[in-house]
């Protein structure tokens, strides 16, 4: 059981922060393109990205943004909204760290979180605000029984 899941079972509070890191490869981009059918040349053509003044092919924005689904999945977060602000491109083989912080939780387990994504050089590449519903006590009990 992950630390994120363990903390969720104990009960989440505003201020709880989770960090996940992932390196994105060309293979990841190819798989994501096949699933989404997004074959934008910024992901596949060196000539096209050079014309855009990038130094290499870039990952799909939603592929990089999807790091939060690892955190949300471990929490059992039911997303109701996601607002992404893409700051800089994520290039193949960049290592991205997502810092996800719950900023508020109301009496109905509705929550807001902020996520900041940085590359291996410490540059912010993406920011996000996520809204959703956290697991209630009964659901947390069920989570405790899932291995």
């Amino acid at each position: 059981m992950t630390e994120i899941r363990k903390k969720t079972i104990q009960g989440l509070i505003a201020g709880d922060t989770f960090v996940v890191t992932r390196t994105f490869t060309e293979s990841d981009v190819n798989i994501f393109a096949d699933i989404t059918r997004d074959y934008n040349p910024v992901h596949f053509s060196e000539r096209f990205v050079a014309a855009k003044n990038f130094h290499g092919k870039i990952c799909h924005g939603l592929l990089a943004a999807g790091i939060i689904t690892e955190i949300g999945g471990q929490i059992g977060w039911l997303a109701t909204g996601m607002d992404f602000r893409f700051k800089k491109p994520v290039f193949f083989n960049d290592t991205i760290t997502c810092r996800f912080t719950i900023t508020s939780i109301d009496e109905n387990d509705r929550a807001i979180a902020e996520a900041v994504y940085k590359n291996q050089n410490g540059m912010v590449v993406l920011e996000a605000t996520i809204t959703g519903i956290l697991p209630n006590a009964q659901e947390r009990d069920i989570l405790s029984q899932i291995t």
Side-chain angles (χ1 to χ4, degrees), residues 51-95:
K52 289 256 185 225
N53 293 316
F54 292 135
H55 66 57
K57 295 181 279 188
I58 64 173
C59 297
H60 296 80
L62 289 179
L63 172 60
I67 293 176
I68 61 167
T69 62
E70 178 179 346
I71 298 166
Q74 290 301 314
I75 291 172
W77 179 289
L78 180 59
T80 58
M82 296 180 190
D83 175 25
F84 297 109
R85 295 165 308 280
F86 300 93
K87 303 295 186 175
K88 298 206 177 287
V90 173
F91 297 97
F92 292 6
N93 300 311
D94 276 357
T95 298

Side-chain angles (χ1 to χ4, degrees), residues 13-121:
I13 60 171
D16 282 341
T17 298
F18 305 101
V19 178
V20 173
T21 300
R22 178 164 180 200
T23 300
F24 291 95
T25 67
E26 186 169 6
S27 176
D28 294 329
V29 169
N30 290 332
I31 292 166
F32 191 82
D34 287 343
I35 291 168
T36 63
R37 298 183 184 177
D38 177 352
Y39 297 104
N40 186 323
V42 298
H43 311 303
F44 300 100
S45 169
E46 291 290 348
R47 283 182 42 219
F48 194 83
V49 298
K52 289 256 185 225
N53 293 316
F54 292 135
H55 66 57
K57 295 181 279 188
I58 64 173
C59 297
H60 296 80
L62 289 179
L63 172 60
I67 293 176
I68 61 167
T69 62
E70 178 179 346
I71 298 166
Q74 290 301 314
I75 291 172
W77 179 289
L78 180 59
T80 58
M82 296 180 190
D83 175 25
F84 297 109
R85 295 165 308 280
F86 300 93
K87 303 295 186 175
K88 298 206 177 287
V90 173
F91 297 97
F92 292 6
N93 300 311
D94 276 357
T95 298
I96 305 300
T97 298
C98 174
R99 183 175 196 81
F100 179 102
T101 302
I102 298 173
T103 58
S104 68
I105 304 171
D106 73 13
E107 64 280 352
N108 295 315
D109 296 315
R110 294 189 179 277
I112 300 172
E114 296 292 330
V116 177
Y117 300 67
K118 293 182 179 181
N119 66 15
Q120 66 278 359
N121 301 316

